[in-house]
Amino acid sequence: MSLAVRVPEELSARVPVEQRGPGLERDAVRMLVSRGAEVAHHTFTELPLLLRAGDLLVINTSPTLAAAVDGRTGHARVVVHFSTRGDDGRWAVELREPDGRGTTRARAGGPAGSQVCLPGGVRLVLEEPLSGRGERLWWARVSGPGIPKLLREHGRPIRYAYTERDQPLSAYQTVFALPSADGTGSAEMPSAARPFTARLVAELVSRGVQFAPVTLHTGVASAEAHEPPYPERFAVPGASARLINAARAGGGRVVAVGTTAVRAVESAAGADGAVRACAGWTDLVVTPERGVRVVDGLLTGLHEPEASHLLMLEAVAGRVAIERGYEAALQGRYLWHEFGDVHLVLR
């Protein structure tokens, strides 16, 4: 799906909302609500009023990594974006060029055998492209100290040119993030959950809204080409599967917080729509043709008009809802990207 709209540069959220004025917290963002062809404007703090007792929110507990590290290949400076750790210990990485403004731009990948020197004595050797889809991401063999230690000591959050300045890693962690035992996590923040605060979570619980945690470690986004997502590691615990199935059986709505939560829970759903405990890798791409089996709604950020994530939104709510929603978001001057406003899509 590609929308025939252009997002003006000034609608990019350049800093987190809590830095835009005194007394603001993460939940001080706007929320567009789409139900079919109907569109309504709300603030995120009104979410408890829009959900009902018995509804269930599926949330992603993956922590965000400080996944960008400066390095050198030969005499050239590069920035390595660590995307995903493979089962064999290799890492999928994207090499980018510093742009002189604290962010990066795309560069040609490879070739095989290229070496990248990183701080702390870590060395990468590029072995092969991650897939036949292109050469943006490469599997790299790692020598020297482990990557989690490297990221803790020398990494910073991945940042793109529409943001104003570097932010601490805490700005990219959601209230649901839990450290993983092996030090892995998401290359980029599962940003739909960013506006949640502990206070808002408590209010939702007090109103009878439940939460089902899942985990999906997001890889590096395709900032320029808008490629579909690559395979990602995920887990749906048995307790969460039971909560989801019980909510559906009891007439509650299952609302995924973020496209990552949709990908995880739909990957664990059978053809009958029942969710079962599941863990491993998912290559599922949710499209209108495939449809959704579990979720009744999606809370998400505002994506670029060409982004493949829009296909997932269309699968949940239909093309008319997404077109009307994005038209209203542009007219209403909503803010885009990970620090921006959010969109609640209900079937």
Side-chain angles (χ1 to χ4, degrees):
M1 179 182 185
S2 180
L3 297 178
V5 298
R6 185 185 69 83
V7 181
E9 186 176 338
E10 64 268 20
L11 294 187
S12 294
R14 298 180 60 79
V15 296
V17 63
E18 61 271 23
Q19 297 178 16
R20 295 181 207 149
L24 296 179
E25 295 189 35
R26 287 183 173 214
D27 56 12
V29 295
R30 301 168 68 194
M31 181 170 64
L32 188 75
V33 179
S34 294
R35 290 187 184 89
E38 298 180 4
V39 178
H41 301 276
H42 294 270
T43 61
F44 188 72
T45 53
E46 294 175 287
L47 180 64
L49 304 177
L50 298 170
L51 299 178
R52 304 187 293 256
D55 287 346
L56 182 140
L57 294 172
V58 181
I59 50 97
N60 186 1
T61 63
S62 178
T64 307
L65 301 175
V69 180
D70 293 324
R72 286 188 174 275
T73 177
H75 297 293
R77 294 175 57 223
V78 295
V79 177
V80 180
H81 287 178
F82 285 86
S83 183
T84 306
R85 189 172 78 172
D87 292 334
D88 59 2
R90 296 187 299 175
W91 278 79
V93 300
E94 179 184 22
L95 270 57
R96 295 177 67 89
E97 292 182 354
D99 63 3
R101 301 190 300 272
T103 52
T104 60
R105 54 178 170 257
R107 72 184 293 279
S114 298
Q115 296 191 32
V116 184
C117 296
L118 298 171
V122 175
R123 187 180 299 270
L124 302 180
V125 178
L126 303 187
E127 293 192 342
E128 59 182 335
L130 184 61
S131 81
R133 197 188 298 164
E135 296 193 354
R136 182 176 65 90
L137 291 172
W138 283 70
W139 285 117
R141 184 71 59 185
V142 181
S143 63
I147 297 304
K149 182 175 186 290
L150 171 77
L151 301 185
R152 287 194 305 270
E153 296 180 357
H154 301 284
R156 62 185 180 275
I158 290 174
R159 172 166 91 85
Y160 293 111
Y162 52 77
T163 55
E164 187 172 289
R165 56 181 177 270
D166 283 346
Q167 298 287 343
L169 185 59
S170 59
Y172 290 88
Q173 300 293 9
T174 74
V175 71
F176 303 115
L178 296 173
S180 58
D182 60 2
T184 56
S186 287
E188 300 184 11
M189 173 176 53
S191 55
R194 192 182 190 280
F196 283 89
T197 61
R199 181 186 62 226
L200 190 67
V201 170
E203 183 178 351
L204 286 162
V205 170
S206 73
R207 289 175 173 269
V209 176
Q210 293 183 298
F211 290 81
V214 300
T215 302
L216 186 139
H217 296 318
T218 66
V220 174
S222 172
E224 288 84 17
H226 304 296
E227 303 163 342
Y230 286 91
E232 294 168 320
R233 194 188 299 274
F234 82 106
V236 176
S240 293
R242 290 190 291 274
L243 281 170
I244 294 166
N245 293 333
R248 298 182 71 222
R253 295 173 295 182
V254 175
V255 178
V257 178
T259 57
T260 61
V262 176
R263 196 181 201 199
V265 75
E266 291 289 331
S267 296
D272 59 356
V275 178
R276 298 167 179 86
C278 191
W281 293 84
T282 178
D283 59 1
L284 176 66
V285 177
V286 178
T287 64
E289 291 72 30
R290 189 266 186 191
V292 289
R293 298 170 178 171
V294 180
V295 301
D296 304 297
L298 170 61
L299 178 72
T300 184
L302 292 162
H303 299 286
E304 292 290 350
E306 302 85 3
S308 62
H309 287 175
L310 290 181
L311 291 172
M312 181 183 289
L313 271 67
E314 185 180 349
V316 173
R319 187 179 183 94
V320 171
I322 305 309
E323 289 178 339
R324 295 278 177 86
Y326 269 65
E327 180 182 338
L330 286 168
Q331 291 177 349
R333 309 289 291 175
Y334 279 68
L335 295 181
W336 255 250
H337 302 302
E338 66 266 29
F339 296 139
D341 297 315
V342 292
H343 187 191
L344 176 62
V345 178
L346 297 172
R347 298 173 76 179

